Amino acid sequence: GQQVMQIPQYQHVQEGEDFTTYCNSSTTLSNIQWYKQRPGGHPVFLIQLVKSGEVKKQKRLTFQFGEAKKNSSLHITATQTTDVGTYFCAPRNSGGYQKVTFGTGTKLQVIP
Amino acid sequence: NAGVMQNPRHLVRRRGQEARLRCSPMKGHSHVYWYRQLPEEGLKFMVYLQKENIIDESGMPKERFSAEFPKEGPSILRIQQVVRGDSAAYFCASSSDTGELFFGEGSRLTVL
C-alpha cells in the first residue's frame, strides 16, 4: 500500500527566514492537497496540485508537485508569525471515491 | 453558505457512558469524513461516508465505535462505553466531488 512521509516533523525558524516541508510517497499520486492547522484550530485547505511538475503560488507560499507525481513541497518565503501552525499534505491515489489520509504534518514555529 | 457544523464543541463523559458527535456537512456536499486527533499529533482517518452508505471504515475500531450519515439529518459518530483513551478531538470534514475537504471546528471529548 501507499506509504507517505512528511518531513521535517518540526521546524523552528526566525521570523523572516524561509521554510520548506516535503511530502514523499512510495507510489504515484493522482493529486495532492495541502492543509494548514493553526494551534487549537481546525485544518484549512490551502491548495490542490494535479499535474506533473505543477507549481502554484499563493503570496509567499509556493507549492510544487514532482515530475513523477510522487513528491510535493510547500515553501514559505520570509516567514511571519502568522505562518505558525502545522502543515499537512493529503496525497490522493486514482481510482474512484476513497478515503483521504493525511501525512504526519510539519509543525512550524516562528520566533519573532 | 454555512460551513461544516459540528456539535457539541466540548463533551465530557464518564467512563462507560456514550458519546454522540454530530456533523452537518456543507450544503451540497455528499461526502463526509471523520478524523481523530490527539494533542500534538496528526489527523487519523476513521471513516468515510456518503449519504446512507459507509464507504470506508478501516480506521475505526470495530468495537464501541459506529458512524452513520442518514438521508436526512447530520452524520453521527457514536462511541459507546467510552474509556479514557477515547479522549481526543474529533474532526468532521465534508466535500463535494471535487475533493477539497472543508473541516468543522471539531468536537473535543474528555473522558473522566
Side-chain angles (χ1 to χ4, degrees):
Chain A
Q2 177 195 91
Q3 291 187 349
V4 174
M5 280 192 59
Q6 196 173 343
I7 54 172
Q9 192 174 358
Y10 300 98
Q11 183 87 57
H12 292 85
V13 299
Q14 282 296 138
E15 189 172 17
E17 290 182 339
D18 292 357
F19 159 77
T20 306
T21 173
Y22 301 90
C23 188
N24 301 312
S25 171
S26 59
T27 59
T28 303
L29 303 170
S30 172
N31 62 69
I32 191 164
Q33 297 174 345
W34 285 91
Y35 293 78
K36 175 184 177 181
Q37 185 178 24
R38 293 182 188 272
H42 59 282
V44 174
F45 174 82
L46 294 176
I47 205 95
Q48 176 167 286
L49 304 170
V50 178
K51 299 176 185 173
S52 168
E54 189 170 14
V55 178
K56 286 188 177 179
K57 293 194 175 187
Q58 289 179 354
K59 297 183 181 178
R60 295 178 294 103
L61 276 61
T62 302
F63 303 84
Q64 288 191 311
F65 202 9
E67 294 289 342
K69 299 183 72 172
K70 286 186 175 183
N71 309 300
S72 182
S73 65
L74 157 58
H75 179 84
I76 303 178
T77 304
T79 54
Q80 299 175 359
T81 53
T82 52
D83 296 324
V84 164
T86 303
Y87 294 84
F88 294 98
C89 65
R92 307 287 292 269
N93 291 315
S94 57
Y97 296 127
Q98 347 174 317
K99 66 185 182 186
V100 179
T101 56
F102 287 80
T104 48
T106 297
K107 185 173 182 179
L108 172 63
Q109 199 63 266
V110 178
I111 305 162
Chain B
N1 198 8
V4 177
M5 304 300 291
Q6 284 190 252
N7 67 82
R9 293 288 311 279
H10 299 274
L11 183 62
V12 179
R13 285 287 179 266
R14 296 190 180 280
R15 281 178 296 169
Q17 292 184 319
E18 178 179 288
R20 201 173 277 239
L21 310 177
R22 285 174 290 279
C23 170
S24 295
M26 283 184 69
K27 189 176 179 181
H29 285 189
S30 60
H31 306 266
V32 166
Y33 305 81
W34 284 93
Y35 295 88
R36 169 189 158 108
Q37 188 175 44
L38 293 170
E40 303 299 314
E41 294 194 6
L43 296 155
K44 182 178 181 297
F45 168 81
M46 297 183 73
V47 62
Y48 164 36
L49 311 104
Q50 290 184 46
K51 276 291 185 184
E52 299 185 270
N53 293 306
I54 296 175
I55 307 301
D56 189 324
E57 56 181 349
S58 58
M60 198 161 66
K62 299 235 183 298
E63 294 182 359
R64 302 189 300 109
F65 286 73
S66 63
E68 62 177 14
F69 187 16
K71 188 177 179 181
E72 301 291 337
S75 175
I76 307 283
L77 178 67
R78 185 178 173 212
I79 312 173
Q80 294 178 290
Q81 299 174 334
V82 296
V83 301
R84 290 219 173 101
D86 297 332
S87 296
Y90 293 85
F91 287 99
C92 167
S94 73
S95 74
S96 64
D97 289 346
T98 60
E100 172 187 341
L101 266 59
F102 292 83
F103 280 82
E105 295 188 342
S107 291
R108 281 151 180 85
L109 172 65
T110 301
V111 179
L112 301 177

